[in-house]
Amino acid sequence: MVPTTIPTLETERLILRAPEPADFEPWAAFCADPEAAEFLGGAQERPGAWRIMSTMAGAWLSRGFSMFSVVEKSSGRWVGRVGPWQPEGWPGTEVGWGIAREFWGRGYAPEAAEASIDWAFDTLGWTEVIHTIEAPNVKSQQVARRLGSRILRQAVLPAPLNVAVDCWGQSREEWLARRKA
């Protein structure tokens, strides 16, 4: 099932919503940060950040799902982008994350990913969720483990990325069993 409107999801501390034009400045700063962007294709200048944000916004129309802008409830600040993602040639149905470095260590990535995974399984009808993670990306591996994911297989991301990744993930049944426990 493809949603006809972009939903807004809420967690205890976060709002996950459609990307908006006002998100561009913090999005561009996130994309320009070499440490935050290290495993996301590398740091990008403003034109590259604009293309990334526009691609993710456009995926809502072409796929019916995409990354959400994640906003901190207490401050209203943009903290990153998290959500379902499957561009052409992608190795599976992914829920991915990218959090601005100033917000690292607060548990926002797993909190937003949990809401996104619930939505992907419940609304999109996905049977599996993956997280494409490069072997040296220890921080994302920790998030994946917190979500109950494990390495399922290896893949190479499509051009222009052409990056070898581990596909961490789990089935819908594993996710639901974990959520009930």
Side-chain angles (χ1 to χ4, degrees), residues 30 33-40 79 98-109 137 139:
F30 164 74
D33 180 337
E35 193 172 352
E38 178 179 7
F39 299 107
L40 301 172
V79 302
I99 302 294
R101 191 160 29 122
E102 67 189 282
F103 296 100
W104 286 4
R106 299 184 192 184
Y108 287 166
N137 189 347
K139 288 181 174 75

Side-chain angles (χ1 to χ4, degrees), residues 19-138:
E20 299 176 353
D23 297 340
F24 180 66
E25 290 303 324
W27 196 305
F30 164 74
C31 287
D33 180 337
E35 193 172 352
E38 178 179 7
F39 299 107
L40 301 172
Q44 300 286 319
E45 295 183 11
R46 291 175 64 84
W50 184 87
R51 283 190 294 276
I52 293 166
M53 183 176 152
S54 296
T55 296
M56 290 186 179
W60 280 104
L61 296 175
S62 63
R63 293 272 193 202
F65 59 87
S66 186
M67 297 272 179
F68 295 95
S69 276
V70 180
V71 176
E72 187 179 52
K73 281 183 180 179
S74 64
S75 70
R77 293 175 64 203
W78 186 92
V79 302
R81 84 296 182 278
V82 175
W85 185 239
Q86 191 183 24
E88 185 64 28
W90 215 247
T93 48
E94 177 169 24
V95 166
W97 48 84
I99 302 294
R101 191 160 29 122
E102 67 189 282
F103 296 100
W104 286 4
R106 299 184 192 184
Y108 287 166
E111 184 175 330
E114 284 179 1
S116 296
I117 293 169
D118 282 341
W119 185 78
F121 284 141
D122 294 345
T123 303
L124 300 175
W126 287 5
T127 58
E128 177 185 72
V129 67
I130 65 166
H131 324 291
T132 57
I133 303 174
E134 292 179 53
N137 189 347
V138 175

Side-chain angles (χ1 to χ4, degrees), residues 159-172:
L161 297 171
N162 300 315
V163 174
V165 294
D166 293 321
C167 294
W168 291 69
Q170 58 194 292
S171 69
R172 181 179 191 279

